[in-house]
Amino acid sequence: MIMDEKEVLEALKKYREMDLKYEDGRILGSMCTKPHPISRKISEMFFETNLGDPGLFKGTKKIEDEVIHMMGNFLNNDNPFGYIISGGTEANITAMRIIKNLSIKKERLPKVIVPETAHFSFEKAREMMDLEYIKPPLTNCYTMDVKYIKDYIEDNNKNDNKKIDGIVAIAGCTELGTIDNIKEISKIAEENKIYLHVDAAFGGFVIPFLEEKYKMDNYNYEFDFSLNAVSSITIDPHKMGLAPIPAGGIIFRDSSFKKYLDVEAPYLTDTHQATLIGTRTGIGVASAWGVMKLLGKEGYKNIVSKCMDNTHYLVKKAKEYGFEPVINPVLNIVALKDDNPSETCLKLRQIGWYVSICKCVGALRIILMPHVKKEHIDEFIGALASVKKN
Ligand code: 0PR
């Protein structure tokens, strides 16, 4: 049935009203948040742009290059190369494409060390590219056991058939927010000339802006290109970067990695394409540029400090009610121990609270994104207490 414009908009509005709104403070298990308001105007300005054919959208392509440099800058890289793509999933799959294409023995499956705590996008990559994953045990801090990695590589790297082709480490893991000991992992990767990819999809816009007072003693916070072996980093503006979806980021140490991604695209204005997705909007790219220019490092620092402050507030409140965190929060993610997290999560949902759960440990997972305020935390803890009583 054909509709006029008013009818179309009214019908869509009704659907949209069924959605939850970040500002209501009930979304506690999401790594996304309400984008910075400037992105509304930017989205309109760039709504028809297509970076799949950059020769037609030269200005938008220039913005992408500038954003990559801005992000490279706070990741300690003066000469970065990369793309603003659909999200962390595409970024991680792109990094795995590099490892696959670099792998030394084409006759066997590429072997990659991947943390147990890795996001499920790595599982998609494994399935698509027939990768073999080695998953080191976790320490009691829920990070990869570095000694295991060292021993494993020493034992296997003499034999070409068993050699490790790549290592993935995480800076801000999805479930707990932990950061692998990337400083030590980088040393091992460097000594053995192994490609190291860091998934900082969430942590990339948090860790560089973390005030000292929120850092724990004897914990590794280093994750970026200042570590010699780090070759690529996933870092998503559409998570803590406050850009609208879709804006994920894959940043490489330099442009030498492009050739491992390029496929021929002879009929385009640019005759090679490196990104997984062909036709892709410039909206996220331009919005990330705008939000980053507006906020600057100071702006992100203020946002991260507020989120960390709320994180500690939630832990304090939770403890008052007898709920215990699994670990001291590293970033703005809290895991609260629970004997039946799926059931608790469901019960909370029935009364309008949306948290998620951890699979690596029995716990509820709460992410203190910028849209979550102290009054939401107070209400939530009350709701959790009432759910657990019944
Ligand atoms: N790497 C890490 C460390 C992640 O946490 C995520 C997503 C990804 C990669 C993949 O990113 P994209 O989803 O952008 O492809 N982490 C969130 C999660 O799985 C994604 C998310 C965001 C889920 C908002 C729900 C939600 O409401 O929890």
Side-chain angles (χ1 to χ4, degrees), residues 338-349 357-358 363-364:
D338 193 289
D339 44 12
N340 192 347
S342 306
E343 189 190 86
T344 310
C345 184
L346 204 69
K347 284 186 178 167
L348 282 167
R349 211 173 279 183
I357 57 173
C358 298
L364 298 173

Side-chain angles (χ1 to χ4, degrees), residues 185-282:
I185 295 169
S186 171
K187 285 184 197 159
I188 302 170
E190 190 179 6
E191 267 167 34
N192 293 281
K193 299 190 174 53
I194 300 174
Y195 187 97
L196 174 58
H197 171 68
V198 173
D199 182 359
F202 183 77
F205 272 93
V206 182
I207 303 164
F209 310 112
L210 208 52
E211 277 183 75
E212 286 305 315
K213 65 176 176 187
Y214 297 118
K215 293 189 180 174
M216 289 183 284
D217 294 339
N218 302 318
Y219 198 90
N220 168 70
Y221 290 89
E222 291 181 50
F223 74 102
D224 66 17
F225 292 104
S226 56
L227 303 172
N228 289 340
V230 173
S231 293
S232 53
I233 300 180
T234 291
I235 166 172
D236 289 353
H238 74 198
K239 295 189 169 72
M240 283 293 287
L242 264 64
I245 303 163
I250 178 78
I251 319 261
F252 295 98
R253 183 170 285 279
D254 55 53
S255 60
S256 67
F257 294 97
K258 185 176 187 293
K259 57 180 176 291
Y260 301 107
L261 295 172
D262 269 343
V263 296
E264 281 185 32
Y267 53 84
L268 296 184
T269 49
D270 205 350
T271 55
H272 288 83
Q273 194 171 82
T275 53
L276 205 57
I277 292 186
T279 303
R280 60 188 179 102
T281 175

